[in-house]
Amino acid sequence: MEKAHDHSTHAHDGHNHDDHDHSGHSHDHSGHDHAHGFGHHHHPVNLTSVNRAFVIGIVLNFAFVIIEVIVGLTIHSLSLLSDAGHNLADVASLAMALVAIRLLRVKPNERYTYGYKKTTILVALLNAAILLLSLGAISYEAIHRLMAPEPVAGMKISIVAAIGIGINAVTALLFFRNKDSDLNVRGAFLHLLSDAIVSAGLVIGGVVIFYTGLYWIDPVLSLAVAVIILFSTWQLLRDSLRLSLDGVPAGIEIKKVRETICRMKDVKDCHHIHIWAISTTENALTAHLVVDRSTSMETIETLKHKIKHQLLHQNIQHATLEVEMEDAPCDEPDC
């Protein structure tokens, strides 16, 4: 993605920024929060608390899946089994997201110069795909059962679902603080929150079945689960697909980035801008700056330092800036 340039008139700044430490974000700017999420201004994701949240979420939700499967098979409730499938997909999603976030700590090497940060994006995409597959399976079985409703114990559905509300609400709260800092954390929060809503619906449905004997409500609840899965998954799928294709991350506008750079003193023009995601928490940029031929190297270095500082406020943590002289045409074919 980045192209090597070796022009005597060009000052090229690679990813090893001596004048600006991006890897640790060691900036102490009072009154400012750098954006590390998707258009939101938040502190960087706290890996320790997120780690703990994922582990607790995986354990509690897997235990609940076992309860739902046992009770669902015992009373022949499709809504409970559908929700168990949904929750099992969430457990898998949480586990994969945990692995991906831990891979963020792997240091870059000669073969993987960004480390394994991109896995966070791929996992987010895989999670969305898994949820959509579970949606299809649940919908198919629900329609089949709707045509031939079976008797179910409504009160038992309500009791199990009530347990689900508690488990999902507690685990969703664990992710609340960091939900805008990382795509996988946001995905986990949305899934757990939607699970709590689904469980609330099952509680109500179970009570209605118990008092009315309308057994067709059970497969209808399953279809409602499918709709909620679709709603909560669509944005995750869209965002993760865009990032996996190296699209511009949500919350970043190239027009605003260009205006920010061109407003800087000594910058005559800015072009050849590329912005992409390194991971679900870090973004990168390459751009060509045009300056007057009389501009000194010291001024250029100061200029690049200031630009990188401004780009941090637009959620761009890694900037590679190539400087061109005003009267020297750019030799890039797509400039």
Side-chain angles (χ1 to χ4, degrees):
M1 189 175 300
E2 297 171 55
K3 301 179 181 178
H5 303 276
D6 186 19
H7 309 301
S8 57
T9 56
H10 292 181
H12 190 76
D13 179 30
H15 281 282
N16 184 19
H17 308 309
D18 296 328
D19 60 338
H20 213 63
D21 182 12
H22 291 284
S23 59
H25 306 296
S26 57
H27 306 279
D28 184 16
H29 310 300
S30 59
H32 295 286
D33 280 341
H34 295 309
H36 292 264
F38 294 81
H40 304 278
H41 291 272
H42 277 264
H43 291 288
V45 61
N46 185 325
L47 290 178
T48 303
S49 66
V50 167
N51 238 359
R52 190 185 308 115
F54 273 113
V55 172
I56 293 173
I58 289 168
V59 172
L60 289 179
N61 278 273
F62 188 67
F64 182 57
V65 166
I66 294 174
I67 293 172
E68 283 192 307
V69 169
I70 292 173
V71 177
L73 290 174
T74 302
I75 67 174
H76 306 290
S77 171
L78 179 60
S79 59
L80 280 183
L81 291 174
S82 297
D83 195 43
H86 179 201
N87 280 310
L88 185 60
D90 280 354
V91 169
S93 297
L94 290 172
M96 288 187 293
L98 175 60
V99 171
I101 285 177
R102 285 187 172 180
L103 285 174
L104 280 174
R105 299 178 179 179
V106 177
K107 293 182 179 180
N109 53 52
E110 290 186 2
R111 188 173 292 273
Y112 296 96
T113 56
Y114 281 125
Y116 298 104
K117 294 180 179 181
K118 199 83 169 183
T119 56
T120 56
I121 296 171
L122 298 178
V123 163
L125 181 61
L126 182 60
N127 285 345
I130 289 173
L131 284 169
L132 288 177
L133 286 174
S134 67
L135 183 153
I138 290 170
S139 300
Y140 175 81
E141 186 61 31
I143 292 171
H144 177 74
R145 185 73 70 90
L146 192 59
M147 292 186 289
E150 295 182 13
V152 290
M155 194 52 66
K156 289 183 179 179
I157 292 175
S158 294
I159 292 171
V160 173
I163 296 172
I165 293 175
I167 290 176
N168 288 307
V170 168
T171 48
L173 285 174
L174 294 175
F175 293 101
F176 182 77
R177 181 181 298 179
N178 292 297
K179 67 182 176 65
D180 293 321
S181 301
D182 179 85
L183 191 60
N184 281 304
V185 175
R186 189 179 76 188
F189 174 77
L190 288 174
H191 291 169
L192 293 167
L193 188 63
S194 67
D195 287 349
I197 295 170
V198 168
S199 294
L202 294 183
V203 169
I204 297 170
V207 171
V208 173
I209 291 172
F210 178 77
Y211 284 107
T212 65
L214 299 174
Y215 300 123
W216 55 265
I217 291 176
D218 188 53
V220 167
L221 287 173
S222 297
L223 289 174
V225 170
V227 171
I228 291 173
I229 295 173
L230 178 62
F231 180 78
S232 64
T233 302
W234 181 251
Q235 189 174 6
L236 180 66
L237 176 66
R238 186 187 63 188
D239 288 347
S240 57
L241 182 61
R242 181 177 62 249
L243 296 188
S244 66
L245 294 173
D246 285 335
V248 178
I252 297 178
E253 296 180 29
I254 286 188
K255 181 181 178 182
K256 287 186 178 180
V257 170
R258 188 178 186 282
E259 288 174 352
T260 297
I261 296 174
C262 289
R263 275 200 306 266
M264 302 297 290
K265 183 184 177 183
D266 297 315
V267 175
K268 301 294 184 181
D269 190 23
C270 176
H271 56 264
H272 205 51
I273 301 174
H274 297 280
I275 304 172
W276 72 99
I278 298 173
S279 71
T280 50
T281 56
E282 294 178 83
N283 301 313
L285 167 146
T286 59
H288 290 192
L289 309 178
V290 179
V291 300
D292 189 87
R293 178 168 288 279
S294 62
T295 308
S296 67
M297 284 300 297
E298 183 180 357
T299 301
I300 288 173
E301 289 306 312
T302 301
L303 177 63
K304 288 192 290 185
H305 181 89
K306 290 179 179 178
I307 290 173
K308 291 171 197 171
H309 171 79
Q310 290 299 319
L311 291 177
L312 272 174
H313 292 279
Q314 297 199 32
N315 196 18
I316 298 171
Q317 294 79 22
H318 300 267
T320 301
L321 304 170
E322 181 179 343
V323 178
E324 301 169 354
M325 299 302 111
E326 190 174 19
D327 55 354
C330 181
D331 59 358
E332 291 291 337
D334 56 344
C335 245

